[in-house]
């Protein structure tokens, strides 16, 4: 009956955090176990009592400050120096700029929204069709959960009890592999559809873009450098990045106005509040899953299907692609990690880092796949292109992402090499 209540609430489009919390309450009522009711609030708050979760609002704040302070546009101009002159130059610029922003934002949905406003009009002006411009911008958002930092990696580290900094490091090579495959896709599409040839900036322009882009480029360097060198935890790096974005936006570029800070803080509080509420609700739902002994049942079923670690990961990818199509990635992550993580480690000897990267990347694909596809609707709302037109233009990039998943599932060294 609990599963029916969950399905009905989900079908009625009740917010996913309320779906999880109300389903847990129904389970307690249906079971008649009043001891569980006494522990409900304790479980609700216990799910968010983790120092690592502080990184989520701080990374959101850093992204908002960068956008408001003009750092994003300077990173785009910096990308023009590197790839602007190739055929399909604006597409390459879009992807490189997304790689830079992925090292700051940590949230695919936020990155898609922000970069759609920045890049799609510029690509249209250069002669690209709107659905393709929106698609490559949305595809760039797929880099956010895998190139450090990543909110999904932060959450996975908390759930799996592995160092968040090591999870970030584990995502570096897979992120570069996926970026390389995206570059190949852009190159082939550029030849097939004869996309406009880009233009290299003049020496004077390049010098200006470079000098103006250096301060903005310091933000991802602060985040990744602090984590890789061990000088700062992910949470501390996020705080330093927020401070750096504030100082650079206000005193270097002078685009950030103090009167706009309230709006920045309001958006950050609202967005991070939704995420934290979701984590709390999913915590009590995970508690229900444990009482129902779902992990043990899932372990028995999966063990009967295969004994090969690669095939297990492919099975997980297939299941999570379906899950990610209908459930938010963060909620899905909180639901599946307690079920599948013990199976991956105990029965198949799979590293927590390899499992985490595969799971997080698979779930974020749900942002860009129907029927829910929140990323598609965000991109559509930002650009005016229809969701299905964007999805059709996205297919080569989705295939490149699936190929990345196959490679990192097959060869764990792509994930563990830097650890």
């Amino acid at each position: 009956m609990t599963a029916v209540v969950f399905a009905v609430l989900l079908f009625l489009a009740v917010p996913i955090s309320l779906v999880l919390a109300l389903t847990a309450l129904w389970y307690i009522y249906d079971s008649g176990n009043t001891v569980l009711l006494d522990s409900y609030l304790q479980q609700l708050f216990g799910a968010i009592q983790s120092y690592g979760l502080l990184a989520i609002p701080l990374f959101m704040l850093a992204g908002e400050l960068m956008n408001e302070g003009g750092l994003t546009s300077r990173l785009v101009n910096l990308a023009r120096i590197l790839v602007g002159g190739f055929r399909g130059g604006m597409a390459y610029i879009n992807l490189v700029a997304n790689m830079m922003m992925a090292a700051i934002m940590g949230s695919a949905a936020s990155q898609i929204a922000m970069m759609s406003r920045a890049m799609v009009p510029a690509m249209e002006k250069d002669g690209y069709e709107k659905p393709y411009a929106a698609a490559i911008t949305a595809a760039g958002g797929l880099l956010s959960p895998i190139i450090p930092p990543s909110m999904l990696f932060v959450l996975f580290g908390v759930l799996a009890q592995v160092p968040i900094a090591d999870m970030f490091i584990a995502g570096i090579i897979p992120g570069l592999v996926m970026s390389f495959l995206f570059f190949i896709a852009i190159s082939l599409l550029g030849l097939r559809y004869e996309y406009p040839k880009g233009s290299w900036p003049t020496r004077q322009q390049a010098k200006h873009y470079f000098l103006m882009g250096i301060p903005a480029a310091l933000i991802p360097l602060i985040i990744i450098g602090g984590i890789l060198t061990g000088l700062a935890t992910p949470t501390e790096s996020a705080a330093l990045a927020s401070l750096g974005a504030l100082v650079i936006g206000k005193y270097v570029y002078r685009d950030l106005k103090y009167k706009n800070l309230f709006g920045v803080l309001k958006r950050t509080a609202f967005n991070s509040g939704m995420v934290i509420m979701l984590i709390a609700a999913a915590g009590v739902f995970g508690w229900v899953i444990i009482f129902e002994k779902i992990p043990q049942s899932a372990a028995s079923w999966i063990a009967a299907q295969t004994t090969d670690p690669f095939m297990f990961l492919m099975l997980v990818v297939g299941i999570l692609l379906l899950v990610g199509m209908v459930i938010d990635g963060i909620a899905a992550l909180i639901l599946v990690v307690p079920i599948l993580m013990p199976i991956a480690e105990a029965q198949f000897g799979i590293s927590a880092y390899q499992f985490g990267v595969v799971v997080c990347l698979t779930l974020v694909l749900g942002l860009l796949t129907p029927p829910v596809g929140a990323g598609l609707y965000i991109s559509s709302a930002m650009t005016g292109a229809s969701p299905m037109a964007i999805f059709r233009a996205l297919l080569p990039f989705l295939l490149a992402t699936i190929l990345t998943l196959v490679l990192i599932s097959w060869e764990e060294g792509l994930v563990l090499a830097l650890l």
Side-chain angles (χ1 to χ4, degrees):
M1 187 63 186
T2 302
V4 174
V5 171
F6 176 84
V8 169
L9 291 174
L10 200 64
F11 179 76
L12 293 174
V14 175
I16 187 66
S17 55
L18 291 179
V19 171
L20 299 174
L22 292 173
T23 302
L25 278 175
W26 171 265
Y27 172 79
I28 294 170
Y29 167 77
D30 195 42
S31 66
N33 191 337
T34 56
V35 175
L36 295 181
L37 186 61
D38 293 338
S39 303
Y40 184 85
L41 290 179
Q42 181 181 352
Q43 293 292 332
L44 192 69
F45 285 99
I48 57 175
Q49 287 182 326
S50 171
Y51 169 74
L53 292 177
L54 283 173
I56 292 177
L58 288 171
F59 280 127
M60 286 184 169
L61 178 59
E64 289 286 350
L65 287 170
M66 286 195 67
N67 199 36
E68 194 71 36
L71 281 74
T72 305
S73 60
R74 269 72 176 196
L75 288 177
V76 171
N77 286 336
L78 193 60
R80 293 179 189 274
I81 303 174
L82 302 174
V83 293
F86 297 121
R87 178 174 293 280
M90 279 301 297
Y92 288 111
I93 290 170
N94 193 338
L95 183 57
V96 172
N98 267 291
M99 290 175 66
M100 295 177 183
M101 290 306 300
I104 300 161
M105 292 293 293
S107 165
S110 299
Q111 185 170 325
I112 290 169
M114 188 177 72
M115 295 302 288
S116 292
R117 293 196 301 268
M119 293 304 305
V120 173
M123 290 187 70
E124 279 192 280
K125 187 177 178 181
D126 266 25
Y128 293 85
E129 294 179 359
K130 184 180 290 185
Y132 175 77
I136 192 170
T137 308
L142 291 174
L143 297 169
S144 193
I146 191 168
I147 291 180
S150 161
M151 282 199 300
L152 286 181
F153 280 1
V154 170
L155 186 53
F156 180 86
V158 171
L159 293 171
Q161 298 184 349
V162 297
I164 295 170
D166 287 348
M167 273 304 304
F168 284 177
I169 294 170
I172 292 175
I173 294 178
L176 294 175
V177 169
M178 192 161 79
S179 300
F180 176 72
L181 293 176
F182 279 7
F183 277 119
I184 292 176
I186 291 172
S187 176
L188 296 176
L189 289 170
L191 293 174
R192 170 69 177 80
Y193 295 106
E194 297 185 353
Y195 288 129
K197 190 178 186 304
S199 59
W200 296 106
T202 65
R203 180 174 296 183
Q204 190 64 29
Q205 285 176 324
K207 181 180 178 182
H208 176 73
Y209 291 160
F210 180 75
L211 292 176
M212 294 299 290
I214 287 177
L218 289 176
I219 303 301
L221 288 178
I222 288 171
I223 296 172
I224 298 175
I227 294 169
L228 290 179
T229 59
L231 294 175
T233 66
T235 302
E236 292 165 347
S237 293
L240 289 172
S242 298
L243 178 61
L246 174 64
V247 171
I248 293 169
K250 174 61 180 175
Y251 298 106
V252 178
Y253 298 143
R254 301 183 183 276
D255 288 351
L256 182 63
K257 308 299 180 186
Y258 282 133
K259 65 180 181 180
N260 296 332
L261 280 180
F262 177 76
V264 168
L265 295 173
K266 181 180 177 181
R267 290 192 297 272
T268 302
F270 181 77
N271 292 330
S272 59
M274 286 194 300
V275 173
I276 298 300
M277 182 179 176
L278 181 56
I279 292 169
V284 293
F285 189 80
W287 181 47
V288 168
I289 287 174
I290 293 171
F291 268 92
E292 285 286 281
K293 298 181 179 180
I294 292 176
Q296 294 89 325
S297 302
S300 300
W301 182 82
I302 292 174
Q305 309 305 311
T306 182
T307 57
D308 180 65
F310 173 71
M311 292 307 300
F312 167 75
L313 286 175
M314 289 293 94
L315 187 62
V316 168
V317 167
I319 293 170
L320 295 186
L321 280 174
L322 297 176
V323 171
M325 288 180 182
V326 294
I327 300 179
D328 176 80
I330 292 175
L333 185 69
I334 298 170
L335 295 178
V336 303
V337 168
I339 297 173
L340 297 178
M341 183 74 193
I343 304 171
E345 287 189 309
Q347 292 192 221
F348 295 93
I350 295 170
S351 161
Y353 302 106
Q354 183 186 18
F355 181 76
V357 173
V358 169
V359 167
C360 291
L361 181 55
T362 305
L363 286 176
V364 84
L365 271 176
L367 270 176
L368 300 176
T369 50
V372 177
L376 288 177
Y377 293 101
I378 291 171
S379 182
S380 176
M382 293 295 106
T383 64
S386 74
M388 286 311 299
I390 297 172
F391 176 70
R392 286 192 293 270
L394 260 171
L395 287 175
F397 301 100
L398 298 182
L399 291 174
T401 305
I402 292 173
L403 178 57
T404 303
L405 283 167
V406 172
L407 290 174
I408 61 179
S409 299
W410 178 263
E411 179 49 64
E412 68 174 6
L414 291 173
V415 177
L416 304 179
L418 298 180
L419 293 174

